[in-house]
């Protein structure tokens, strides 16, 4: 019996060499070590854990540790990831976010449930718009930090996201233009598995609102509805742009976040610890990670246009800084000085800063840069 077990395990493992089977069927993580003999797909350990919570639909087994009978091996061999994708992802809307292995749990879980449990993408949905939505979300209060229910309205036709502080309010508290919105899941920062940060720009200044819903399906539905509304807006605004170009400009994860110390424009200014968020070319800093408004923002242009980033040594006598691993960012107007807690953290920041300034600026980015200069 053990000989049959070893032979079958080796055969199953060899199936991962086939095209499409070398990455997880759901999140594209490399080198999957698990498989579902009921769906005929190969999975990473994280996604296999989600499948384990769908026992009616998917049974999972280790490629190496578990025993595989001949019927299961044959089923897996005759199916595989590409065949499953053709069925379960046949009609995924172009704007819909397909999670990666680096994404948070709620995004990956709802992607898996939408594919195999709800079978949302097996048949075409016709011309039903998913860029309009209304409902309650729990929103963090700007001053007290309490999460209270607020009515949200997303309108693809108006190109806006609105929310109301009271159910019977006639005027919205805020009207947000959909083309200025970014939405990113922030479970760690918000200490909530379904936490969603909605960032938008108003008067060339960044605003944050933090929301969640207890139902994972509902919060991911909001996330994809925002992407749908943005996609429709950009199709009209940029009629010559390809779907791929538009997709790249929808919601995005921040390039990096974390604490650094910063000093003011004067040499005598002291250093203050701030939470920094890099959203492509916008470097924002906050007193607290969950602040609604940035204390300040810096535009990160291209090295071709006079922007430079480099490591510097900052003596502890300079401005009473507690961290000595310095970074200077030079813009056409001035030089900014920051310090990091460790050398590895500085290297991480330098890596993303240099990646950003190495890219040429777009026409739209030149206009954003001009607004920053006007502001300063």
């Amino acid at each position: 019996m053990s000989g049959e077990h070893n032979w079958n395990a080796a055969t199953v493992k060899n199936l991962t060499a086939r095209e499409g089977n070398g990455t997880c069927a759901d999140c594209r993580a490399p080198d999957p070590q698990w498989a579902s003999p009921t769906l005929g797909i190969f999975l990473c350990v994280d996604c296999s854990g989600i499948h384990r919570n769908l026992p009616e639909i998917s049974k999972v087994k280790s490629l190496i540790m578990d025993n595989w009978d001949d019927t299961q091996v044959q089923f897996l061999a005759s199916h595989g990831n590409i065949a499953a994708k053709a069925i379960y992802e046949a009609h995924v809307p172009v704007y819909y976010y397909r999670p990666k292995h680096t994404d948070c749990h709620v995004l990956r879980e709802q992607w898996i449930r939408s594919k195999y449990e709800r079978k949302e993408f097996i048949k075409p949905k016709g011309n039903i718009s998913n860029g309009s939505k209304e409902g309650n979300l729990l929103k963090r209060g700007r001053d007290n930090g309490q999460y209270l229910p607020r009515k949200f309205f997303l309108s693809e036709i108006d190109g806006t996201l609105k929310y109301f502080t009271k159910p019977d309010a006639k005027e919205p508290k805020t009207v947000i233009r959909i083309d200025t919105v970014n939405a990113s899941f922030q479970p760690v920062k918000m200490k909530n598995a379904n936490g969603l940060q909605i960032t938008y720009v108003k008067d060339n200044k960044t605003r944050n609102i933090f929301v969640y819903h207890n139902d994972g399906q509902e919060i991911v539905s909001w996330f994809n509805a925002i992407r749908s509304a943005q996609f429709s807006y950009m199709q009209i605004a940029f009629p010559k742009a390809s779907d791929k170009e538009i997709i790249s400009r929808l919601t995005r994860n921040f390039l990096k976040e974390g604490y650094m110390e910063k000093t003011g424009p004067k040499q005598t200014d002291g250093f203050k610890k701030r939470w920094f968020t890099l959203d492509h070319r916008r470097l924002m800093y906050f007193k607290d990670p969950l602040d609604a408004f940035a204390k300040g923002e810096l535009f990160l242009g291209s090295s071709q246009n006079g922007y430079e980033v480099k490591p510097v040594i900052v003596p502890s006598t300079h401005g009473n800084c507690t961290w000595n691993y310095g970074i200077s960012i030079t813009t056409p107007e001035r030089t900014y000085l920051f310090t990091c807690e460790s050398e590895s953290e500085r290297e991480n920041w330098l890596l993303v800063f240099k990646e950003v300034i190495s890219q040429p600026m777009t026409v739209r980015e030149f206009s954003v840069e001009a607004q920053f200069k006007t502001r300063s």
Side-chain angles (χ1 to χ4, degrees), residues 7-293:
W7 178 82
N8 277 351
T11 305
V12 170
K13 182 66 178 161
N14 288 340
L15 292 174
T16 60
R18 289 189 184 177
E19 186 183 357
N21 293 346
T23 56
C24 174
D26 294 325
C27 74
R28 292 163 281 167
D31 193 25
Q33 298 293 313
W34 293 76
S36 168
T38 45
L39 293 169
I41 55 174
F42 294 85
L43 301 162
C44 71
V45 63
D46 289 339
C47 289
S48 74
I50 297 170
H51 277 257
R52 195 171 274 116
N53 290 328
L54 310 174
E56 303 300 315
I57 296 157
S58 183
K59 301 283 195 291
V60 291
K61 301 180 77 168
S62 165
L63 300 186
I64 301 162
M65 306 295 291
D66 289 327
N67 186 16
W68 291 81
D69 63 42
D70 290 343
T71 308
Q72 291 172 333
V73 174
Q74 287 163 8
F75 184 81
L76 205 53
S78 61
H79 288 74
N81 290 0
I82 290 177
K85 189 183 176 86
I87 298 167
Y88 295 104
E89 297 180 31
H91 299 283
V92 179
V94 66
Y95 62 80
Y96 198 95
Y97 186 77
R98 298 167 183 252
K100 302 184 288 290
H101 63 281
T102 49
D103 283 312
C104 64
H105 180 83
V106 71
L107 267 175
R108 287 184 290 112
E109 180 187 28
Q110 291 307 316
W111 170 236
I112 288 167
R113 287 186 180 275
S114 65
K115 283 204 292 182
Y116 310 114
E117 186 177 56
R118 299 191 289 270
K119 297 182 170 64
E120 288 180 17
F121 313 123
I122 287 179
K123 295 176 182 175
K125 285 191 174 180
N127 294 319
I128 300 169
S129 168
N130 288 311
S132 298
K133 189 171 173 62
E134 65 176 86
N136 280 333
L137 292 171
L138 287 151
K139 178 191 169 290
R140 187 178 193 270
R142 196 174 82 193
D143 301 319
N144 59 16
Q146 281 185 304
Y147 284 90
L148 296 169
R150 296 288 182 254
K151 192 84 167 175
F152 279 78
F153 285 87
L154 174 68
S155 171
E156 184 179 291
I157 295 167
D158 296 344
T160 59
L161 175 66
K162 307 173 186 176
Y163 73 88
F164 296 78
T165 49
K166 292 176 183 172
D168 56 351
K170 291 185 171 53
E171 292 297 318
K173 169 73 173 172
T174 300
V175 179
I176 304 165
R177 280 176 44 192
I178 203 70
D179 61 317
T180 74
V181 167
N182 184 29
S184 63
F185 280 94
Q186 296 282 1
V188 177
K189 188 162 76 174
M190 292 175 63
K191 297 181 174 61
N192 186 296
N194 298 345
L196 184 69
Q197 178 175 346
I198 296 173
T199 303
Y200 62 100
V201 179
K202 191 170 185 179
D203 302 325
N204 199 35
K205 291 183 180 176
T206 303
R207 305 280 188 265
N208 293 320
I209 54 176
F210 299 91
V211 298
Y212 75 90
H213 197 284
N214 288 319
D215 186 304
Q217 183 181 349
E218 182 65 7
I219 198 69
V220 172
S221 174
W222 271 102
F223 176 71
N224 279 300
I226 289 168
R227 289 176 63 87
S228 175
Q230 287 181 323
F231 186 80
S232 297
Y233 173 88
M234 289 188 190
Q235 274 187 313
I236 296 163
F238 307 100
K240 292 182 180 177
S242 67
D243 283 359
K244 188 177 179 182
E245 285 175 301
I246 294 175
I247 293 297
S248 72
R249 292 177 58 174
L250 302 185
T251 60
R252 64 213 169 265
N253 290 327
F254 298 128
L255 294 178
K256 183 163 170 58
E257 290 194 283
Y259 283 108
M260 288 193 289
E261 291 182 328
K262 74 168 290 292
T263 185
K266 298 175 188 171
Q267 289 293 318
T268 53
D269 288 343
F271 277 83
K272 290 178 180 173
K273 185 180 175 183
R274 293 288 181 254
W275 177 266
F276 284 81
T277 297
L278 180 60
D279 187 3
H280 192 43
R281 293 196 186 275
R282 280 180 185 269
L283 179 64
M284 302 162 276
Y285 54 92
F286 304 85
K287 196 170 182 181
D288 182 271
L290 298 181
D291 279 349
F293 304 112

Side-chain angles (χ1 to χ4, degrees), residues 308-325:
E308 185 187 15
V309 177
K310 62 182 182 182
V312 291
I313 296 168
V314 182
S316 53
T317 52
H318 182 103
N320 301 320
C321 63
T322 53
W323 298 340
N324 306 120
Y325 300 96

